[in-house]
Every structure is written in structure tokens, then in C-alpha cells.
Amino acid sequence: MISERTGFVKLSVKGKHMLINGQPYYFRGTGYAGWEPETGCPDTSRERWREKLKVLKEYGYNYVRCQSFIPAPEYYDVADEAGLLIQSEMGMLGAWAGTSSWHRYSWPTPEPIFYRKLKWHWEYTVMRDVNHPSANIYCMSNELLNNTDFPRIAWECYKNTKKIKPSAFVIWTDGGYNPRLPGDFVNAEADIDKKTSLPVIQHEFRWWSSYPDVRIKNKYKGAVRPYAIEFAEKAAKKNNMVSLLPVIAENSHKLQYIEARTKLENCRRDNPGLAGICHFNAMDSGFSPQGILDEFYERKLVDAETWRQTMGDTVILVNKNFNDRIITGGETFSFSFFVSDFSHPPLKAPFIKWELSDEEDKRGYGAGIIQFTHKPFRTIKAGDGKVRLPEVNHPQQLILKAKLIEGERLFKNQWTFWVFPFGIKLPQNMVIYKRAKYTWLKNSGIPLVQKNNVEIEGSDKIILTEFVDITLLEKIEKGGKVILCASEGLVRPFPPKLGLAEGRYFFLPPANYPSFEDGNSGTIILSHPILGNFPHKGFADLQFYRMIANFPPIDLLVLGCKNPVIRSISTYFISHPLGYLVLFSYGKGLLVITSLNLDPRLSEARYLLLQMVDYLSHPEGGEEIISEKAIEFLVSISSIK
């Protein structure tokens, strides 16, 4: 006797909403490409899937897109129990992963003789899974952009699927939009929402790939080796960085969380009518550690409760982006809150309670309550807040906390800011040597001195420069202190990948696309007195964003630097030594090399420069000695006109 469980879910569309059993839901998906570290092949263990899909649900996800494949029946059994919807995806419409030339180099268009077999495969799969309530979204292709060479086949698949399972959603591609092709909703870039009357899910958002974590190597006990970790270890060994791998993983995860949560929240905030977001991915996948979870579906950095503040049914959002995190003492700090409420039942008349305090809640800077007219099932602006900040004499980390309250129902979120002193005066003992054309020096207002000037020869001033020559080297050897602002020839720029140009030197590489050498995986900041009391926790959080976002790191290999004060972590395939701030001794003097944007119009940059100059005026010693080979390189680079 054969028995089979069955269940019923009705999916439908009303306006811009996707409905489950008649109720609007915000679709929060993850991608899943069949990566199974325990088995190396499709996993049929219901026990393992119960643990894994339970975690996905706890972290706020309500559907899974199986990217370009169909999982085993056991997967659907457990998805039924977990209450997850599953998008099955088959290559019905040509190249398995898209029709652009970029896709077709690996996946050519199938020959006509195969279309009857593909059609049989499609309909057989729908029939196989028809009794699963989780098996309710069917997709014919991946990233066919705006067209397909097979529109009649697309319409036939759509109609036949509806005959077999009328309640299911069907789309012709994930990652494209064409109103002449079939689809119950659209999965594409969010701005398509303005061009269609159908609900829109943001497609594949956005592959933020962290560093492989050597600390979990012992989890790999099945059929699959920890290939990504092995690659990372091999590259790190080549560059004498193996001992750094644990902290690299930790700091990379911190950057991944900052980027992922902020971009996901901003996408939901800035596209108020969006029907959902497919986050790619919730979990790591082999060579691309993209997830908030590792590939065993276990926590990397943040817990489920914290992540639901970003990926929950109901979330509070704020109108601050990456470059809005620095505020100045004495100014009025203004902000706006937004609410996206898809809870069931939805809230009716909630209010927001907010407070701005220092990091440890020892001092409150302001608080308030915002009453607003609530509208569920979309993102709305709830109201504004503002705080008149007191003057401060040193930087402080502040936390803006918000609670959305209705009776006993409570939703929370919080955001980090840094307040810096107002009117930071640049040190009087600084001069610019000879010329300034390429870096922030040219607009700094710092006095300029010329070669052989008495000021350069005899004073104890801190010298800022864009190049090094023999006169300057002699000055350093005798005890001079120099800050070299690194630019072309010393830094290592890389182009944005996949058009993701915003903050490309600060953010993670997307999904380890080629070239595998380009990209930032985070930072390591030493507790060095040259930084003074500039706030950091061993890595560059958003207080460094404006100083790094568009400014490439220094290539440390040519300098032979082993211990940069601020290290930039390269991709794990290469593990190239990079940095943003290094400190050398040369003779009796000191040479600082930095490629940070220290534009004095930025309060954080002015303050950091102040700390650096203060240290150079009273150094503690023990710095790494620069080699003559590195000195020769600096002089040769400086000779380029």
C-alpha cells in the first residue's frame, strides 16, 4: 500500500500583492542551488532537511527558489511541514541559465529534438509534486533577460501547468520582464515595479560573498571537502597570512552583515509597492560564502531574532544610507522612520517609540514617540524624529533604537552612527611638501612649502606629501615625520563587478565572479596608538565608509609590509597583501603611507588626521623598518609626471 500526504494552498494576485490563501504576504526568499556538503548529491534525508528548513523559517524566509533545478520529493515533504513555498525551475526555454552571450558560452541552446522530452519533464514534475502545498511556484528558466526564442512553448507550459494545478504561480523566467510572455508575477530588478501592473519580487539580491571560515573546517565530515577553505589556506600560506584566517573570517562576516542588512532594508524602504525580495542567499554555497548562515544552515554571526528585524513580516526602516552615518556634535540630527507591515493579522494603530543613546546606553541623547496613520501591506513613512546633539570633545558611537508597538505586539530595529566633534582644527605643525595634484591634499588648506625651504630643512613639522624624493628621504633619515598620500602607482584599483559601483572598495565581492582577484573581503585594524581614540573595534565599520568607498588600497607587496595598521582583506582566491594605513621607520624618522580619503571636509577624516599627526609628534617607537628596495620603489613611482 502506498500512502501520500497532501495539502492545499491557494496562491493568487490582487493588484501588486501576492496572496497566500487570500492574504497578502511579503515574499522573502532565498536561493538554493543544490549544494549539499554532507552528501555531494541531492540530499534525501528528511531529518537533515527538518533541521535546515526550520532554521530558514526562524530567520524570516517564507519561500525558496531552487535555482535552475528541482529538489527531491523528500525536500518537498519537509517544506510542507515547515510552511515554506518552493519555486521549482527547469530549463524549458533555451540556454539553461539565460540567453545572453555571457550565459551561452557555457550553456548552449538545446536542439529541437529535445523539446518534447523537456515538455514531458516539465509536466511530469508538476504531476509528481501536485499534492505538495509547498510545490506551488514553477519557473521555466533563469535570467532570459527580456526575451525568449520560444514564446509559444512558454505559453504552453503556463497553460498546461494551470490545468494540472490551478492554484500555482507560474513565471517564464526568474530575472527578466516581458509583458508579452506568461507570468503571474515578475521577478526582476525592483525598478520594474513602475512598469508593470503585476507584483514584483526583487531578483537575486545581491550575492555578498564573505571569506571562507577556517574555524568550521571540522564540520566537513561527509562526501564534500571544504574546497573554499582549502583555497583560502593555500593562498594565505603563499603570502604568510595563515595565522590571520580566523580573524579574517570574523571581520568578513561583520562586513557581510552590515552590507546585507542595510541594502535589504533600503531596497524594501525605497520600493514601497514591492511584493518581495529574493535574497541570494540565506546560506553559503561552496565557493561562494554568500549567506547569513553557513552551508550547514548554521549561524555565522547574527541570530534569527536579529535577522528578522531585517527579513521579518514587519520591519522598521530608517532613511539613512551608508554615507549618512557620521554626525557632528552641536548639530540637529534628523531622521525619518518607515514601516513595512505584512504581519497576520496586520497591525491596526501602532506607534513608534525611539531613542538615541550611546553604545552602552549610559547616556540618552534624545527620545520620542511617533503616532501615525498605519497602512498595512506596503511600506509607508511613519514620521520624523530629531535630536539637538551636545558638543563632544571626542568621537562616540551612538545607537538609534526604534520599537513599533501595539498592545503586547512589539517589533524592533536599530542603527549605528558616530558623532564627531564640531570644528576640528587641523594641527598647526603640518605642511605640504612641494606639490599637491592628486589626493585630498590639494583642497586641504594646509600650507605648502617648496624644496630646500628652511621650513622643510630645520623644523619639526609633520610633512604631508604625494611623492618621495632624495631631499625628503634625507629629512626622514635625520628624524623627520612624513605622511605619504598614496595614489596612482602605489594603490591597487579594481573595476566594479556586475555594475555594482557604489562603494566598491568598501563592500564585498559579489558571488566571487571573475576576475577572482578583485574585491574587498573586509578589514583588520590594529590597536595602534597612531589611531589615537578614533573609534573602531578592530575592523572598518561605517565610520570608515566615506574614507574607503571610492579609494583603492595600497599594494603592500611592493612595500614588503607585514603589519599594516589598517589591512584590507583581498579575495580568498589570491589573498593579496593590501592595506590603507602603514607605518615604517626609516633612519631616525617615520614614514606613514595611507590611501584613505582624508579630505578635511569630512569630520571623521579631520579627526583621524589629527590623531596621526599627534602620534607622529610624540612617537612611541617599535615600527617596522622599511627596506631599501621599497624606498627605491617609492622614489621611482614618484618620478612619474
Side-chain angles (χ1 to χ4, degrees), residues 553-607:
I554 304 163
D555 190 329
L556 301 183
L557 202 60
V558 297
L559 298 175
C561 180
K562 297 181 176 61
N563 296 298
V565 177
I566 302 179
R567 180 186 295 274
S568 174
I569 304 166
S570 175
T571 64
Y572 75 88
F573 293 97
I574 304 298
S575 202
H576 194 90
L578 302 171
Y580 277 98
L581 180 63
V582 301
L583 176 59
F584 291 110
S585 66
Y586 182 65
K588 296 180 180 180
L590 295 175
L591 172 63
V592 176
I593 307 175
T594 182
S595 61
L596 292 168
N597 174 25
L598 295 181
D599 187 332
R601 290 171 293 184
L602 306 177
S603 58
E604 67 272 32
R606 291 175 75 94
Y607 195 85

Side-chain angles (χ1 to χ4, degrees), residues 81-101:
E81 299 171 5
L84 288 165
L85 290 172
I86 307 302
Q87 177 176 309
S88 304
E89 197 164 290
M90 292 162 273
M92 278 302 304
L93 302 181
W96 170 65
T99 53
S100 70
S101 58

